[in-house]
Amino acid sequence: MRLRSRSFLRGTTVALALTLGATISLAGQAQAPAKPATAKAAPASAAAGKAYKAPRTPDGQPDLQGFWTNSTYVPLERPNGVTKEIYTPDEAEAAIKAAALREAEQTEPGTTADVHYDFSQFGLDRSQSTFAKNLRTSLIVDPPDGKIPPVTAEGQKRAQERAAARKAAGGQYDAVENMPIGSRCIIMGGAGPPLQNAGYNANYQIVQGAGYVMILTEMIHDVRIIPVDGRPQPPSQVRQWVGLSRGRWEGETLVVETTNFNGKNAFRGASENLKVTERFTRTADDTISYRFTVEDPATWARPWTAEAPMAKTDGPIFEFACHESNYGIANILAGARADEKKAAEQKKGSN
Amino acid sequence: MKRLVLGAVAAVFLAASVPSAQTRPYKAPRTPDGQPDLQGFWTNATYTPLERPNGVTKALYTPEEAEAAIKQAIQRESAQTEPGTTADVHYDFSQFGLDRSQSAFVRNLRTSLIVDPPDGKIPPVTAEGKRRLAERAEEAKKLGGRWDSAESNQLDDRCLIMAGPGPPMMDAAYNSNYHIVQAPGYVMILTEMIHDVRTIPLDGRAQPDAKVRQWMGVSRGRWEGETLVVETTNFNGKNPFRGSTENMKVIERFTRVADDTIEYKFTIDDPSMWTRTWSAESAMRKTVGPLFEHACHEGNLGLYNTLVGARLEEKRAQEEALKKGSK
Amino acid sequence: MRMKLAIAVAVVAVLLGVTQVRAHHAFAAEFDVNKPLNLKGTLIKWEMVNPHSWFHIGVKDKDGKVHTWMVEGGSPNQLIRMGVTKNTVPVGTELVVEGYQAKDGTEKAVGRNFVLADGKRLFLGGSAGGPTDPVKVK
Amino acid sequence: MNVRRCEGAKVQNRFLIGTMTAAVACGVLLALTSVMAQAPAYRAPRTPDGKPNLNGIWQAMNTANWNIEPHPAAPSPVRELGAAGAVPAGLGVVEGGEIPYLPEARKKQQENYANRLKLDPEIKCYLPGVPRATYQGFPFQIIQGTKHIMLVHEFAGAVRTVYMTDQTEAPADSWMGWSNGRWEGETLVVDTKGFNDLSWFDRAGNFHSEALHVVERFTPRSAETLNYEVTIEDPKVFSRPWKMSMPLYKRVERNAQILEFRCVEFAEDLLYGHLRKQPAK
């Protein structure tokens, strides 16, 4: 581990030379270094009240096109112990710093936790690329306590049933179907809806054509093509992992309603009857205000709403072919089978 | 009843020896786009054999001789089988109107459909042709007995293709009926048996690439005056016509020579099999529709039954052999 | 401006390491904590693929026979945004890999740390050079 | 041979007598000139910024995904699928009928075909590559943005970004390649490189190397059809550049939309079933 200690020493020098807080806060501002961090991070008031008017596409839609990220250190739910809704800029910086430190915690060589490649060598820790800043203490803005509302009895029952079904299917590494859908390259957190910070590569490309808004999620090249021509939802038999979305423009705001989920990628335990309403408003050249409301009476006692701005970032989005080279699946399953064999042999030997 | 009458009354022989279509006074009615109109229901059922029977030396019968030959053929066709013999195990074709004489059929003074070579026989097979025939026989042998598997059975028993659609289009023994429909640029010929359809483009397009091969080949047509000329190549060779290979070229000529008759001539050109080209002349007679859906494969219980029967017989034979062995 | 700041942040991240919170899959299910290894060899191919990239490294055993190890690294996408291309790490580059071998015992591993022959750390992220910066392979 | 130069020569040849030399130099390519390419000029409706409007959901109607070369009907490679899995005959979409493989490459194609159930990336739900994605039989949607034109395919959610302004070389090899686009009159020309060597052109094992260079030309030919013409160049596999062409048809149903064909889970048992835990004996 000699090499690692060398980089540790070198890193220390650099860390001393720069203030960590400034470093991190400014890194997030990479696209618009001239603007103070707080300018666009203030809690969004109603988009309609803003002076900013988005540029227009050739066919007159507010222009949302480009590369965006919703990478953020702000948690969906308000941390326990935090009572205020909005941090001061200083508090926000401190919170980001703490989160970045947590994210960057060193793992102990030789421990299970240490078995991974180093994200930083591949530019994958959040702070190496643009992330969206936000003075909020939680993305959830409603209910006012910043927490997901209580789960209904029906929702609890479903959660138990799902857990029981998983248990009945056997261990996580018994078969590929038992593995998490993200590991299987079926869908990842970013695609939503609602769109969520994917941990890394939390990037989106928006392209608008007449009558359509397309959102490409970087992770697993998930595409949503949202018609904005007023067509009705398709029949309820047609259900998809990402549901089916219908959009409309309300002034500066793109409103997208999504239903017809297949329930296999349950968002926070939601049912297939989940309805997500998203509101995209460009509030600055480098910011889209993104609010979503989640309604699922079968799961939650009341609808809830979150706000997670998207910050302009750099392209390109390189092809995230995931399944095609997902060697990890075979390695993991083969590893599990090898472990079983070893255990069986040991058992035989001890007899 | 109506058909019986038709068959009996249509006693006018196709004057096979009369001058060629071009000089005939008859001019076919026209389709709206000006093609000679061949549309309607037609049959090529006939008692005239493709090749001249051994012993017959003339090319044309007198009308009386022709009548006698037909009568004889009808009698042969409806000869009673001996109860209790293998030959008797069938339903009675006549009860289902399936013997040729119960519906319209083509009368022909010719002693054979083949008009060239003049001896009325298919020409000699080339050396390559002999080799190919031997190879085919070898392959068939490898497949085993006819009832060893579905694949080793005959094409018609498997409902793959029957004699009717060709090309060339031949008498199918029963249901030898065709429905011709024309549209601008196309002539369509529906063969009743296994609803085989030929859609023949007339727009001068080229034959497709040699890799595209079909059971019925690929046909291209053109009008030469009153005559529809159809050239067909790109056969897959899996339904050899009298031994033909995939290199066969068929040229057919359809000429409406009367309201109720289409003269049908064809020439076979397959140097891989025969030392020379050969030609035949027949006709299609107007008949009565409709052509009811001849879904064949779908209801082909016979194939299943014969296979099951063959397997049972094998089992029985095995058991008997065992019994004998144990004695 | 942006680059330098990014570098600084990156170095902090390097210094502290990164937890596997955001891993695409459970690494420890694929690789064996009880089989740490140290491989020295030359790059045969870098598969710039997702969800994880893979370094094919030719490693000589004591008899001089070359074994091709497949070593897992991160998604290349962010690197590409930072300007890395398939020409950045040439075939033939000498690499030292500290890591953990696959549980199934085959010649596969996760690269906990990729280091160049001269002892400098292979750093593919947004580095633009400089005396204290991590090394970027040209 | 530089295809584009030849296309130039072709145009010249049409208008100037005396450029026959150029035409002869490009003889093989000229022989490939498609019938469709000579369709009478059609002027497409324009987007508000004046570009031919290709927005819409498009689909090929042919058997190219079975085999881009001319082919007869053939049985299903999977016995259980009977007629449902059988191959429909096709006249082919390759101009001249035959792909000009180098001899060794033709052998490899034949091996691919013989082992297609094991090797065809489509069966494994892998990204289809280019141009296969266009004629795979699934619809795809063209979304004409200001800087980027997106080609969004239903199969496996494959997606291509066509860079119309901020063009660069492919940073790395990929399944769908790296596409830069330009307008030539009515035609959207998409130039794609940076492929890996893993995708196929069809189920018949027709293939390419990572040296593949694809130039696609999307030309409106009526309100609801496009001409789609593709030039393929790959000196490691083919003896010369070659072309394929076909019309694409617009899906005109009012409610037409690209639906999910998230096929990974449909292929997992095939790929990983052998690693399933066996019940304890």
Side-chain angles (χ1 to χ4, degrees):
Chain A
M1 293 298 138
R2 191 179 67 85
L3 294 167
R4 199 169 297 164
S5 10
R6 268 180 55 158
S7 60
F8 182 92
L9 285 176
R10 192 171 67 223
T12 308
T13 320
V14 179
L16 288 174
L18 295 160
T19 69
L20 182 62
T23 303
I24 290 170
S25 70
L26 284 171
Q29 288 299 314
Q31 292 306 299
K35 272 192 184 169
T38 49
K40 65 172 179 180
S45 50
K50 297 207 174 177
Y52 181 84
K53 196 181 171 218
R56 290 303 190 256
T57 63
D59 64 321
Q61 301 176 46
D63 196 338
L64 307 179
Q65 295 180 103
F67 297 99
W68 304 91
T69 182
N70 62 0
S71 174
T72 182
Y73 286 100
V74 180
L76 181 68
E77 291 192 275
R78 188 163 306 149
N80 291 331
V82 178
T83 50
K84 61 197 325 194
E85 203 180 324
I86 311 281
Y87 285 127
T88 64
D90 292 344
E91 286 169 340
E93 288 308 328
I96 288 170
K97 188 162 66 179
L101 281 170
R102 257 199 318 279
E103 187 169 275
E105 262 166 29
Q106 185 60 297
T107 47
E108 185 72 34
T111 62
T112 299
D114 193 53
V115 181
H116 60 82
Y117 53 79
D118 189 333
F119 275 74
S120 72
Q121 279 194 307
F122 297 91
L124 295 176
D125 45 334
R126 264 173 265 214
S127 54
Q128 278 201 56
S129 47
T130 314
F131 60 92
K133 297 172 71 74
N134 194 334
L135 291 183
R136 293 199 179 281
T137 55
S138 64
L139 298 181
I140 292 179
V141 295
D142 180 54
D145 67 357
K147 305 270 195 192
I148 297 173
V151 175
T152 60
E154 186 186 347
Q156 286 170 16
K157 185 164 158 268
R158 184 172 53 250
Q160 283 161 6
E161 284 166 3
R162 280 179 180 162
R166 265 197 304 279
K167 207 174 158 192
Q172 191 181 176
Y173 305 125
D174 282 5
V176 63
E177 300 84 21
N178 293 7
M179 292 177 66
I181 54 178
S183 299
R184 291 159 64 194
C185 291
I186 291 176
I187 196 167
M188 291 198 193
L195 305 177
Q196 296 168 84
N197 174 11
Y200 62 97
N201 291 336
N203 301 308
Y204 303 88
Q205 182 183 7
I206 299 182
V207 175
Q208 286 161 266
Y212 289 94
V213 177
M214 185 224 65
I215 304 174
L216 165 61
T217 302
E218 177 160 0
M219 296 294 264
I220 328 193
H221 54 85
D222 244 308
V223 172
R224 294 169 66 195
I225 301 177
I226 303 159
V228 288
D229 55 5
R231 72 180 72 185
Q233 277 298 92
S236 63
Q237 296 94 324
V238 184
R239 294 188 167 272
Q240 308 202 113
W241 290 81
V242 294
L244 281 157
S245 299
R246 297 291 182 252
R248 63 179 184 274
W249 287 101
E250 290 184 0
E252 292 291 305
T253 301
L254 172 68
V255 182
V256 182
E257 290 188 8
T258 304
T259 56
N260 294 51
F261 288 95
N262 67 10
K264 293 202 276 186
N265 181 29
F267 173 62
R268 299 270 165 175
S271 77
E272 72 278 11
N273 297 322
L274 172 73
K275 179 182 175 184
V276 178
T277 307
E278 299 161 280
R279 303 176 69 86
F280 298 78
T281 314
R282 192 155 179 183
T283 53
D285 277 346
D286 60 358
T287 308
I288 291 174
S289 152
Y290 176 74
R291 279 174 84 102
F292 65 84
T293 298
V294 175
E295 282 172 82
D296 185 7
T299 304
W300 296 295
R302 54 163 291 184
W304 53 278
T305 300
E307 193 176 308
M310 300 171 81
K312 205 167 185 51
T313 185
D314 285 339
I317 287 185
F318 183 70
E319 176 181 282
F320 199 95
C322 182
H323 164 66
E324 289 76 359
S325 297
N326 196 4
Y327 308 136
I329 295 279
N331 292 342
I332 286 173
L333 293 175
R337 299 298 82 77
D339 277 357
E340 282 160 14
K341 205 175 153 197
K342 208 184 300 160
E345 277 160 7
Q346 274 169 358
K347 203 173 154 196
K348 235 185 239 168
S350 65
N351 280 351
Chain B
M1 196 59 201
K2 194 178 163 202
R3 292 195 186 185
L4 271 173
V5 173
L6 254 180
V9 170
V12 184
F13 283 100
L14 174 68
S17 53
V18 298
S20 70
Q22 281 81 352
T23 58
R24 276 164 212 247
Y26 181 84
K27 196 180 169 211
R30 288 305 192 255
T31 62
D33 64 317
Q35 300 177 46
D37 195 339
L38 306 181
Q39 296 179 102
F41 298 100
W42 305 91
T43 180
N44 63 358
T46 182
Y47 286 101
T48 309
L50 180 67
E51 290 192 275
R52 190 164 305 150
N54 291 332
V56 179
T57 50
K58 56 192 336 187
L60 295 175
Y61 287 127
T62 64
E64 292 76 21
E65 286 169 338
E67 202 55 61
I70 288 170
K71 219 174 261 173
Q72 217 175 18
I74 290 174
Q75 265 171 6
R76 258 201 316 278
E77 191 167 84
S78 57
Q80 192 57 297
T81 46
E82 184 73 34
T85 63
T86 304
D88 194 50
V89 182
H90 61 82
Y91 55 81
D92 188 334
F93 276 72
S94 70
Q95 281 194 306
F96 297 90
L98 295 178
D99 42 338
R100 268 171 262 220
S101 58
Q102 281 200 54
S103 43
F105 64 90
V106 176
R107 287 156 187 275
N108 195 331
L109 289 184
R110 295 202 177 279
T111 56
S112 64
L113 298 182
I114 292 181
V115 296
D116 180 54
D119 67 356
K121 304 270 194 191
I122 296 173
V125 172
T126 61
E128 184 194 350
K130 281 177 188 154
R131 182 176 55 75
R132 280 169 171 263
L133 290 173
E135 281 167 9
R136 251 183 238 161
E138 192 58 37
E139 271 165 39
K141 210 169 150 189
K142 266 189 221 148
L143 266 178
R146 177 170 168 193
W147 291 299
D148 281 7
S149 68
E151 294 83 357
S152 56
N153 208 331
Q154 297 172 180
L155 299 180
D156 54 351
D157 282 10
R158 294 160 66 192
C159 289
L160 278 169
I161 195 165
M162 294 197 189
M169 305 195 302
M170 297 296 290
D171 172 290
Y174 64 97
N175 291 337
S176 298
N177 301 311
Y178 302 87
H179 186 190
I180 299 183
V181 175
Q182 285 163 269
Y186 286 95
V187 176
M188 184 228 62
I189 305 173
L190 164 61
T191 304
E192 177 162 0
M193 295 296 265
I194 328 192
H195 52 84
D196 255 316
V197 172
R198 301 173 63 194
T199 306
I200 302 160
L202 308 171
D203 55 5
R205 71 181 71 182
Q207 278 297 89
D209 189 278
K211 289 195 193 92
V212 182
R213 295 187 168 272
Q214 308 201 104
W215 290 82
M216 300 195 295
V218 180
S219 298
R220 299 288 184 251
R222 62 178 187 272
W223 286 101
E224 290 185 0
E226 292 291 305
T227 300
L228 171 67
V229 182
V230 182
E231 294 195 17
T232 305
T233 57
N234 294 55
F235 288 95
N236 67 10
K238 293 201 276 186
N239 182 30
F241 174 62
R242 300 276 167 166
S244 70
T245 74
E246 72 282 5
N247 299 323
M248 174 167 69
K249 178 179 179 183
V250 180
I251 301 170
E252 299 162 281
R253 303 177 70 86
F254 300 76
T255 314
R256 190 156 180 184
V257 293
D259 275 348
D260 62 354
T261 307
I262 294 172
E263 184 189 78
Y264 178 71
K265 298 177 169 186
F266 64 84
T267 297
I268 304 292
D269 184 1
D270 186 354
S272 299
M273 186 53 62
W274 295 295
T275 53
R276 54 163 292 184
T277 63
W278 52 281
S279 297
E281 209 173 294
S282 177
M284 302 174 80
R285 238 195 112 64
K286 208 165 187 53
T287 185
V288 194
L291 297 193
F292 182 70
E293 175 184 278
H294 192 270
C296 179
H297 165 67
E298 295 77 358
N300 195 5
L301 297 177
L303 188 56
Y304 176 83
N305 291 341
T306 48
L307 291 171
V308 170
R311 297 299 80 77
L312 279 174
E313 272 180 16
E314 280 162 12
K315 204 177 156 197
R316 207 177 302 142
Q318 231 168 10
E319 281 165 4
E320 268 167 30
L322 270 179
K323 242 189 253 166
K324 261 184 209 160
S326 67
K327 268 176 196 172
Chain C
M1 175 72 169
R2 173 179 180 258
M3 273 318 229
K4 278 205 175 153
L5 291 169
I7 294 154
V9 172
V11 172
V12 170
V14 169
L15 141 75
L16 297 171
V18 175
T19 62
Q20 54 175 325
V21 175
R22 292 161 298 128
H24 158 255
H25 61 63
F27 287 94
E30 183 172 359
F31 305 102
D32 195 338
V33 64
N34 297 315
K35 290 180 192 157
L37 46 72
N38 202 309
L39 298 169
K40 192 173 173 190
T42 54
L43 184 69
I44 295 168
K45 178 167 70 171
W46 180 26
E47 277 189 87
M48 290 175 76
V49 297
N50 286 295
H52 312 276
S53 61
W54 288 83
F55 294 78
H56 297 236
I57 298 171
V59 181
K60 272 187 197 157
D61 63 18
K62 55 181 187 294
D63 303 323
K65 195 181 159 223
V66 176
H67 297 251
T68 303
W69 279 77
M70 273 178 76
V71 183
E72 189 185 79
S75 161
N77 283 36
Q78 183 56 33
L79 299 179
I80 286 169
R81 264 185 295 280
M82 293 169 160
V84 171
T85 74
K86 57 185 172 185
N87 303 316
T88 304
V89 191
V91 165
T93 301
E94 280 189 47
L95 286 171
V96 176
V97 178
E98 298 166 4
Y100 298 91
Q101 190 174 358
K103 290 184 89 168
D104 67 0
T106 55
E107 292 179 342
K108 283 177 245 167
V110 63
R112 181 62 188 83
N113 196 13
F114 293 84
V115 183
L116 292 167
D118 63 1
K120 287 178 181 163
R121 197 157 187 266
L122 173 67
F123 188 79
L124 294 156
S127 162
T132 57
D133 283 331
V135 175
K136 180 174 178 176
V137 175
K138 296 277 181 211
Chain D
M1 171 109 70
N2 183 320
V3 184
R4 204 169 302 146
R5 201 181 304 144
C6 286
E7 283 171 351
K10 191 171 75 195
V11 171
Q12 270 188 335
N13 185 34
R14 261 166 59 186
F15 297 107
L16 301 173
I17 305 164
T19 50
M20 287 312 289
T21 328
V24 169
C26 301
V28 187
L29 280 176
L30 280 169
L32 295 173
T33 306
S34 75
V35 177
M36 287 199 313
Q38 286 156 11
Y42 166 79
R43 193 182 145 85
R46 289 314 199 243
T47 58
D49 55 341
K51 307 290 194 308
N53 189 351
L54 305 186
N55 281 300
I57 298 174
W58 303 93
Q59 200 163 346
M61 280 201 282
N62 56 39
T63 62
N65 192 44
W66 283 102
N67 191 345
I68 55 176
E69 293 189 306
H71 58 276
S76 166
V78 180
R79 180 178 173 271
E80 286 77 3
L81 284 174
V87 183
L91 297 176
V93 296
V94 177
E95 293 189 3
E98 186 151 339
I99 300 171
Y101 276 110
L102 296 168
E104 283 305 305
R106 178 57 89 176
K107 261 183 230 156
K108 186 179 170 192
Q109 179 265 324
Q110 283 159 353
E111 282 166 27
N112 285 347
Y113 177 75
N115 298 299
R116 61 199 186 281
L117 281 183
K118 281 205 172 62
L119 299 179
D120 186 352
E122 181 186 35
I123 290 172
K124 304 174 189 176
C125 177
Y126 290 171
L127 289 170
V130 177
R132 187 178 189 179
T134 314
Y135 51 74
Q136 202 173 10
F138 287 79
F140 70 97
Q141 185 160 357
I142 297 180
I143 295 161
Q144 246 172 282
T146 317
K147 292 180 178 170
H148 304 133
I149 295 180
M150 305 302 295
L151 306 174
V152 183
H153 299 270
E154 187 159 303
F155 184 88
V159 58
R160 300 170 65 191
T161 301
V162 182
Y163 294 90
M164 299 300 286
T165 54
D166 36 356
Q167 302 186 339
T168 59
E169 278 186 19
D173 295 345
S174 62
W175 290 80
M176 303 302 288
W178 191 265
S179 299
N180 291 320
R182 62 179 189 273
W183 290 101
E184 284 183 10
E186 295 293 305
T187 302
L188 171 65
V189 183
V190 182
D191 190 295
T192 307
K193 290 181 186 167
F195 291 101
N196 64 31
D197 61 356
L198 300 170
S199 68
W200 284 9
F201 292 133
D202 54 26
R203 293 173 178 164
N206 286 306
F207 75 104
H208 59 84
S209 79
E210 76 289 344
L212 175 67
H213 176 200
V214 177
V215 178
E216 298 156 282
R217 301 177 62 86
F218 298 81
T219 311
R221 64 185 294 288
S222 73
E224 283 153 9
T225 56
L226 298 177
N227 275 338
Y228 179 63
E229 197 178 48
V230 190
T231 304
I232 304 284
E233 212 177 342
D234 184 346
K236 290 189 177 173
V237 178
F238 310 116
S239 61
R240 57 173 169 82
W242 52 280
K243 281 188 181 181
M244 54 177 117
S245 60
M246 67 193 75
L248 299 173
Y249 302 85
K250 194 168 197 166
R251 293 286 298 265
V252 297
E253 307 95 296
R254 227 188 80 72
N255 61 352
Q257 82 166 81
I258 301 296
L259 293 168
E260 273 184 350
F261 191 74
R262 200 177 289 269
C263 52
V264 171
E265 56 174 346
F266 309 153
E268 282 181 319
D269 188 54
L270 192 66
L271 294 173
Y272 308 119
H274 64 290
L275 293 170
R276 187 181 300 278
K277 179 177 185 174
Q278 298 304 311
K281 279 164 202 163

